[in-house]
Amino acid sequence: RSLCPHPFHHRRPPRPLDAPPRIKFKSPVKRASKLYHELKLEAVQISSNKNPKVLQVPFRVGDAIEIEMVAQGGVNSKELEKVRGVVLGRDNRGLGTGVYLRDVVFGEPVERKIALHSPLLRSLKVLEQNFVHKGKRKIKRAKLYYLRDRLPVETRVTKWK
């Protein structure tokens, strides 16, 4: 049975060099899942190379950011709007990655989730780092949902005119 002289030494014999490569995952479900995961990573890489002004700008939770996006009329429209806000959280889900922004517009708190891989986004700019604590201490939370209970003045990024 075994080429090894030891009776309890279970080692697989070496594979011949001309043998076809061994399939790592035998289960078709697991193989399909692995393939799908690789396709998603590839799609995320292509998307981030297409729109580096949005997807390659480093920002953290608690920063004040401004996103320039198409207001209406589709991808080729020239009509742009700027959305500002404090980053309350970030959802990392491949092509579904998005950020939660909170701002106070005309005295009313507004919260929205913006998909970062959307073709409607033109640019992302960090207005102020660590906007929540004004740079005095580090933010140690992944989601800043507690800011919903605070006064609206504390999350106002847009200035009154």
Side-chain angles (χ1 to χ4, degrees):
R1 251 215 260 195
S2 175
L3 300 174
C4 189
H6 304 292
F8 300 110
H9 201 267
H10 302 289
R11 183 179 298 184
R12 192 180 292 167
R15 293 175 33 143
L17 294 174
D18 59 338
R22 191 169 56 89
I23 296 172
K24 187 168 184 177
F25 300 115
K26 288 187 174 62
S27 161
V29 172
K30 192 161 186 177
R31 222 175 322 148
S33 176
K34 184 86 171 147
L35 218 137
Y36 181 65
H37 178 70
E38 287 175 13
L39 284 172
K40 280 199 304 187
L41 289 178
E42 208 173 280
V44 167
Q45 192 61 42
I46 290 169
S47 175
S48 84
N49 289 343
K50 271 186 185 174
N51 201 352
K53 289 181 182 176
V54 174
L55 297 163
Q56 294 177 1
V57 176
F59 66 92
R60 296 182 57 183
V61 173
D63 292 354
I65 64 172
E66 179 181 82
I67 296 178
E68 198 171 274
M69 59 192 291
V70 174
Q72 61 185 9
V75 181
N76 299 325
S77 174
K78 302 280 187 233
E79 194 175 326
L80 300 175
E81 70 171 324
K82 292 183 179 179
V83 177
R84 295 177 174 194
V86 180
V87 180
L88 290 188
R90 182 178 172 133
D91 265 347
N92 293 318
R93 294 184 182 184
L95 287 176
T97 298
V99 290
Y100 291 99
L101 291 183
R102 181 180 173 91
D103 194 14
V104 179
V105 181
F106 298 113
E108 198 63 38
V110 177
E111 211 170 288
R112 52 169 58 173
K113 183 182 179 187
I114 297 176
L116 288 180
H117 287 279
S118 168
L120 299 176
L121 301 185
R122 294 289 181 253
S123 69
L124 188 147
K125 187 167 66 174
V126 178
L127 299 175
E128 187 178 335
Q129 291 186 338
N130 201 344
F131 180 81
V132 176
H133 297 310
K134 307 294 184 223
K136 291 182 180 147
R137 60 193 160 122
K138 192 175 167 184
I139 290 178
K140 298 180 181 178
R141 301 275 179 282
K143 305 282 189 277
L144 304 180
Y145 294 147
Y146 64 88
L147 291 177
R148 294 171 176 167
D149 302 330
R150 301 271 177 98
L151 291 172
V153 179
E154 293 182 32
T155 58
R156 179 185 296 136
V157 178
T158 306
K159 302 289 184 235
W160 290 94
K161 290 186 179 183

